Every structure is written in C-alpha cells, then in structure tokens.
Amino acid sequence: MNKINFLSSKILAGAVLSIPLFFGISGVSMAFNPITSQMDLGSKGDNVTNLQTFFSSNSSIYPEGLVTGYYGGLTVNAVNRFQSAYGLDQVGRVGPLTISKINSLIANGGWGDVFAPMLYSPTVNIGRNSATFSWTTNENSVSEIFYSNTPVVINEGDIDSKGFGVVSGNTALNNNIAGISQQVTINGLQSSTTYYYMLVSTDVSGNVSVASVNNTFVTTN
C-alpha cells in the first residue's frame, strides 16, 4: 500500500491533509546508477552505494542521507519507506520488484512530481437538497467530494490512485477536467440534515490533497 504523508494547516475550520503518493523533491535533475543485484542487511559494495545515493536525494525516504556502501539498519528503514510509498511489500530487502521500481524511476529521471496540490479559498452554497462547493488549487487538478450523513471513514489502500480507500460515504465529482478553479455540486440531499464531507483534489501526476476531513454542513428546510 502507498504510505500517506499528512501535512496540516487550517481550511474551513478543519484540517487540510496533503497526501502525496510519492515522496521527494520535484524539479531536481540528477544522474543515478541503476541497481544490478539484490541486497539485504549486511550487503556491501557499489550497488549499496548506488542505492543510498539515489535514496539520499529524497529526504522523506532516507532522511539520514548517509552513503557508506554498507547496508545497515538505516538503509533497511529507507527501503521499507520506499516499499511502503510505492505499494510494495515492506520486507526491508531489495528484491526483484524493488529493483524494478527503483530502476524505472532512475530511467525516468528520478522522483518526478511529488507535491500534492494546495487548496485555497473554499466556499459553499447550501440549499435544501444540494450543496455546491468551490475552491482553487495551485496547479491543474480534478476534484471530488466524499460525503455522508455519518462520518466518512477512510483507510490506507490504493483506490483509483488516491493512496487511500473510502470505506463509507458517497462521491460527487466535478467535470473531471483538470483545472485551477474547482467546483463540485452534491445533489439529492435530504433537507434539514447534517452531512459530513471531505474535499479531494488530485493533480495530473496522481498526488492528492484532502481537505476538511469530516467537517459538516446542514441543508436548509
């Protein structure tokens, strides 16, 4: 499963949770050597050096950033973080699947776009049987709202490339065209009813931000 990284601030009196599916620094171009053999705790040599060099360019994966050529506990932890972030079994060793994913990233220039969109200026227009939410994002994104008359439940999992799975609740979508201005209308609501909701924006690289987790609104009479 993808690891979810939560960054918080305030929006609509609720928490803003930014969820990048991949971790690292965007806009950094570096050349890395591919991994050519499997590795485990205690391994030494050039492949370990290459692995540590690649991981050291991403502080979310390998915050210590040490390039020693020795596969010790810090490298095991970094491999576990990498495997978690990219939906691999967290075994702490570099096997064929992990090698394939690392080399794919290296071949495509590194970590790529790793930043989730930021959500700004949310407003809501609430009616008797509908509610229209509007907000902006700092990059082109598609948006939706999860809502329910009971608290929306999410868990970790890769559902539709969001990095989490929705266990309960309904979904309302925008026009599914990526843009800066977001507007989502929820129809078919009951009057005089309290609803819980979450705003979700996903950029073109699949990075996700979730805002106002289980904030509430009440429809009119």
Side-chain angles (χ1 to χ4, degrees):
M1 284 187 254
N2 292 325
K3 182 177 180 180
I4 300 177
N5 185 31
F6 294 94
L7 307 174
S8 64
S9 59
K10 288 289 184 180
I11 187 170
L12 280 178
V16 174
L17 308 181
S18 294
I19 308 179
L21 298 186
F22 310 113
F23 302 84
I25 302 173
S26 66
V28 178
S29 179
M30 298 179 65
F32 301 101
N33 295 317
I35 306 303
T36 59
S37 69
Q38 299 184 43
M39 289 169 278
D40 205 343
L41 181 65
S43 296
K44 300 178 182 179
D46 291 343
N47 270 293
V48 178
T49 297
N50 294 339
L51 176 73
Q52 293 170 334
T53 299
F54 179 56
F55 280 177
S56 68
S57 67
N58 185 331
S59 60
S60 294
I61 296 295
Y62 191 27
E64 298 82 6
L66 298 176
V67 181
T68 64
Y70 175 73
Y71 198 117
L74 295 179
T75 305
V76 171
N77 293 338
V79 170
N80 275 323
R81 293 186 195 102
F82 178 86
Q83 290 166 335
S84 175
Y86 287 93
L88 302 171
D89 290 338
Q90 297 176 56
V91 295
R93 67 180 305 274
V94 178
L97 294 178
T98 302
I99 290 174
S100 177
K101 187 60 184 180
I102 291 172
N103 286 342
S104 174
L105 291 173
I106 290 173
N108 286 283
W111 302 99
D113 175 15
V114 297
F115 294 112
M118 299 299 294
L119 279 63
Y120 300 103
S121 305
T123 61
V124 58
N125 183 12
I126 302 171
R128 187 172 185 271
N129 302 117
S130 67
T132 297
F133 290 81
S134 301
W135 67 95
T136 60
T137 52
N138 66 330
E139 59 179 319
N140 288 334
S141 306
V142 294
S143 297
E144 58 192 311
I145 296 177
F146 297 131
Y147 67 98
S148 178
N149 56 11
T150 58
V152 178
V153 178
I154 63 174
N155 68 355
E156 288 191 66
D158 193 4
I159 306 298
D160 296 330
S161 299
K162 291 182 175 60
F164 58 88
V166 179
V167 177
S168 69
N170 304 296
T171 303
L173 304 171
N174 70 352
N175 56 15
N176 207 36
I177 298 174
I180 300 297
S181 297
Q182 316 297 329
Q183 186 176 86
V184 180
T185 297
I186 306 173
N187 292 305
L189 302 177
Q190 299 296 315
S191 62
S192 302
T193 303
T194 298
Y195 287 90
Y196 298 81
Y197 68 93
M198 303 190 305
L199 312 179
V200 182
S201 290
T202 306
D203 69 17
V204 295
S205 296
N207 304 310
V208 183
S209 283
V210 179
S212 304
V213 174
N214 279 324
N215 273 13
T216 61
F217 66 90
V218 181
T219 50
T220 60
N221 291 325

